[in-house]
Amino acid sequence: MLRVYNTLSRTKEEFKPIDDPNVGIYLCGPTVYKPSHIGHMVGPVIFDAVKRYLTYSGYKVRLVVNITDVDDKLIAESNQCGVPMSKLAEEMTADYLANLAALGVDVIDCFPRCTETIDEIIRFTEQLIAKGFAYEAAGDVYFEVSKFPEYGKLSHRSVEALQGDGGGMAERKRSGADFALWKSAKPGEPSWPSPWGAGRPGWHIECSAMSRKLLGESFDIHGGGLDLMFPHHENEVAQSEACHGRPMAKYWMHNGLMQASSEVGKLGGRNTKPVEGDLAAQEVGKISKSKGSAPFRDMLKKFSGETIRFFVLSTQYRRPIDYSEERLHEVETGMDTFYRLFKRFERVASESFYALPAPATRKQGDFDAGDDPLLKTVAELRNRFLEAMDDDFNTGGAIGTLFDLVRAINKYADDEKLEEPSHRTPEKLDSFRRAILTLRELTATLGLFRQPPQEKTPGGDDLAGKLMKLLIELRAEARKKKDFATADRIRNTLTEIGVTLEDRPGGTDWSVK
RNA sequence: GGCGCCGUAGCCAAGUGGCUAAGGCAGCGGAUUGCAAAUCCGCCAUCGUGGGUCCGACUCCCACCGGCGCCUCCA
């Protein structure tokens, strides 16, 4: 049974789609006014895995991520750079999409833009006015929070607490808790015509409008960073539920935020006021303030998208993650164990791990282990993996069983001496292959190891490859003649320049660190 | 101040009212290797502190200490 932690109830609930087997997921995306940073990527990676796992579990999932391409920050940034807002938004959206691609996040079904949803936003606002939940005030339209008694049910805040301070509130508002659905345009600002005059959407209305347009009045999962719970998500609930008289989303999932490690945090002090108006990634307020928000694309120069994905998924999604390069390097080291096993599989079975046809669904992945000790272990570990994932997408726990699985398979290959062709039998190879296939199946649900890693140095017919071939041959000859001094000199020198040699029954492999 | 989260080994990180408290990185010992590398085996925690509940708590409750998030639009 799949269970999901629901922010609404603050408990884990059994996952039952509204319209089984269809599942609709809406995730708050970025405000595209600057290049995206690591914090923007946490949600997409997590929900990419959520969708993959739900799909694997038999559901038909539609995942929507919005792009906020009009907002105060965008206007400010565009004025400062002297670039039209639409052009700026277009460039930053391209940056965002490229980053997702690098992470292998490719299961998002659509990216609705706010500026392409203006009609729907206006209609939504009109409906709220007609139903008495919103009012116009001098070209602005505000949602009247006091008209929606359930306000605060998501973030568990009382309206009273919010109305206490009237000091800085806009004079047009009836109450400090009211929030803007539509803002009248100031001179020079981008605007759209509306029944209330030229203006633009407020901060929260787009998500209500887009989700209704693409997923319906009620859908299954609404996701976003923890920082968005209030006020953004609370306001979405108010807008949508006031308008439709039914729950907006059945499950609300909030992911923890990316933080700088304490080391870095010290440098930035406590200046952690997040960037406002940024739907998906006020997250890393700390990082962005203390480190100047290194663009994600720069991070990709240091680490592969796969490494970052693995890093993000190695922690349960509701918890904060401490970011540090050191941590990323450790993750790389751990992942190498997987890559080495995949290469080992290729040597032994002459088949690419990445081309293996992974069972697409949970049911297909079941198999009869019989009396085969390896497969029994594999089946057990597979169950543990699935149990972890069924428990509110515990990717961290699931990854732990993956390492166990790798060890079990390596041990089998060791014990059965599969590196030596003479010891291979069809039965052993079959067990080995089925175990690897299971690894393929499970890693696929996390979106991991779908492509071979970028080789640091291609070993093909380039110069380095040819030279290495020569050196390895010379060393092999030396070793044959027991001339270990020469053999070790070659290997030690290579080690110094970062090349590692691995001797094994079939020959010598090399890799660059 | 209000609402909420977290504190598990050197670092990261799962998890549980009683069974060996996963796994990763680092470290140590061993097998293997001409020596290495890789791989495998073994070792490495009593779960922030103090109380309470319970036959029994790291796991529930309270307090405290420490770390952290959010508290709208305008700014």
Side-chain angles (χ1 to χ4, degrees), chain A residues 191-238:
Chain A
S191 67
W192 288 260
S194 82
W196 318 286
R200 59 194 162 86
W203 188 13
H204 316 287
I205 191 69
E206 66 179 275
C207 289
S208 285
M210 288 172 176
S211 62
R212 177 172 78 179
K213 184 178 174 184
L214 296 162
L215 298 171
E217 294 181 358
S218 288
F219 52 95
D220 299 287
I221 297 174
H222 189 126
L226 205 51
D227 56 333
L228 296 179
M229 189 167 80
F230 188 90
H232 184 57
H233 292 335
E234 193 67 62
N235 290 353
E236 282 185 47
V237 169

Side-chain angles (χ1 to χ4, degrees), chain A residues 124 128 133 142-146 148 150-155 157 159 162 173 176-181 202-209 222 228-243 248 252 254 279:
Chain A
F124 208 112
L128 283 172
F133 288 103
Y142 294 100
F143 185 94
E144 190 160 13
V145 168
S146 62
F148 186 70
E150 289 185 291
Y151 193 83
K153 71 174 180 181
L154 179 67
S155 58
R157 286 161 204 262
V159 184
L162 302 169
K173 285 159 66 167
D178 295 353
F179 56 90
L181 299 175
W203 188 13
H204 316 287
I205 191 69
E206 66 179 275
C207 289
S208 285
H222 189 126
L228 296 179
M229 189 167 80
F230 188 90
H232 184 57
H233 292 335
E234 193 67 62
N235 290 353
E236 282 185 47
V237 169
Q239 291 162 352
S240 293
E241 302 195 357
C243 190
M248 181 190 193
W252 284 81
H254 287 99
L279 294 193

Side-chain angles (χ1 to χ4, degrees), chain A residues 24-92:
Chain A
I25 304 179
Y26 184 91
L27 175 66
C28 285
T31 298
V32 284
Y33 70 100
K34 273 187 176 173
S36 36
H37 55 253
I38 176 69
H40 290 98
M41 300 298 138
V42 177
V45 166
I46 289 165
F47 282 88
D48 175 278
V50 166
K51 172 168 176 177
R52 284 177 204 278
Y53 189 68
L54 288 174
T55 303
Y56 169 77
S57 298
Y59 297 108
K60 291 197 167 322
V61 185
R62 182 168 166 76
L63 174 58
V64 174
V65 177
N66 74 297
I67 304 281
T68 300
D69 58 355
V70 53
D71 132 298
D72 296 346
K73 275 287 168 192
L74 256 161
I75 292 169
E77 188 75 14
S78 110
N79 286 338
Q80 200 177 330
C81 305
V83 177
M85 186 184 80
S86 58
K87 186 161 183 287
L88 178 68
E90 210 172 289
E91 287 173 9
M92 294 307 126

Side-chain angles (χ1 to χ4, degrees), chain A residues 19 33 127 169 294 396 423:
Chain A
D19 176 29
Y33 70 100
Q127 287 168 350
M169 88 185 229
H423 283 79

Side-chain angles (χ1 to χ4, degrees), chain A residues 138-447:
Chain A
D140 290 349
V141 179
Y142 294 100
F143 185 94
E144 190 160 13
V145 168
S146 62
K147 292 283 173 64
F148 186 70
E150 289 185 291
Y151 193 83
K153 71 174 180 181
L154 179 67
S155 58
H156 295 230
R157 286 161 204 262
S158 66
V159 184
E160 296 75 49
L162 302 169
Q163 290 176 324
D165 165 33
M169 88 185 229
E171 288 167 20
R172 296 162 180 170
K173 285 159 66 167
R174 293 178 187 169
S175 159
D178 295 353
F179 56 90
L181 299 175
W182 188 263
K183 297 174 172 184
S184 55
K186 291 167 190 153
E189 285 183 352
S191 67
W192 288 260
S194 82
W196 318 286
R200 59 194 162 86
W203 188 13
H204 316 287
I205 191 69
E206 66 179 275
C207 289
S208 285
M210 288 172 176
S211 62
R212 177 172 78 179
K213 184 178 174 184
L214 296 162
L215 298 171
E217 294 181 358
S218 288
F219 52 95
D220 299 287
I221 297 174
H222 189 126
L226 205 51
D227 56 333
L228 296 179
M229 189 167 80
F230 188 90
H232 184 57
H233 292 335
E234 193 67 62
N235 290 353
E236 282 185 47
V237 169
Q239 291 162 352
S240 293
E241 302 195 357
C243 190
H244 307 132
R246 52 191 288 199
M248 181 190 193
K250 191 170 178 186
Y251 307 95
W252 284 81
M253 290 174 63
H254 287 99
N255 60 270
L257 309 181
M258 181 72 70
Q259 305 177 335
S261 67
S262 53
E263 191 67 19
V264 178
K266 280 174 197 160
L267 299 174
R270 276 222 62 193
N271 184 11
T272 60
K273 188 70 180 168
V275 182
E276 70 181 36
D278 186 335
L279 294 193
Q282 302 181 355
E283 352 198 323
V284 268
K286 202 166 183 176
I287 288 181
S288 60
K289 289 291 179 185
S290 64
K291 297 190 70 184
S293 94
F296 186 73
R297 58 168 180 255
D298 288 344
M299 207 175 145
L300 284 172
K301 290 172 189 162
K302 292 180 179 170
F303 303 101
S304 72
E306 179 119 73
T307 300
I308 296 162
R309 171 184 283 261
F310 197 105
F311 169 62
V312 169
L313 293 179
S314 61
T315 301
Q316 216 281 343
Y317 76 86
R318 282 188 278 124
R319 304 192 56 178
I321 314 176
D322 273 354
Y323 170 84
S324 77
E325 294 200 354
E326 191 189 359
R327 183 73 40 227
L328 267 300
H329 284 301
E330 287 179 14
V331 167
E332 276 181 338
T333 305
M335 290 173 76
D336 282 341
T337 306
F338 286 84
Y339 294 131
R340 277 191 224 98
L341 174 60
F342 302 156
K343 282 188 176 172
R344 189 174 201 184
F345 174 66
E346 280 187 42
R347 288 196 300 274
V348 170
S350 303
E351 199 176 349
S352 167
F353 172 84
Y354 307 98
L356 285 175
T361 68
R362 192 165 177 154
K363 246 195 145 73
Q364 286 172 14
D366 279 328
F367 58 82
D368 178 14
D371 288 330
D372 189 315
L374 171 65
L375 296 184
K376 276 178 163 172
T377 304
V378 169
E380 191 187 317
L381 291 172
R382 179 174 175 273
N383 279 337
R384 267 175 50 202
F385 178 96
L386 297 178
E387 277 170 23
M389 288 298 285
D390 280 346
D391 183 13
D392 195 29
F393 308 101
N394 182 358
T395 53
I399 283 176
T401 69
L402 252 26
F403 277 99
D404 286 335
L405 189 51
V406 167
R407 192 187 313 119
I409 296 171
N410 267 325
K411 183 170 168 54
Y412 183 79
D414 279 5
D415 291 349
E416 301 298 335
K417 296 186 165 58
L418 292 183
E419 296 278 1
E420 299 168 51
S422 60
H423 283 79
R424 293 171 195 159
T425 67
E427 292 75 29
K428 288 179 187 173
L429 287 178
D430 184 57
S431 294
F432 186 58
R433 187 179 185 278
R434 286 169 78 187
I436 290 279
L437 191 60
T438 300
L439 186 59
R440 170 86 176 148
E441 172 194 349
L442 300 181
T443 53
T445 69
L446 297 176

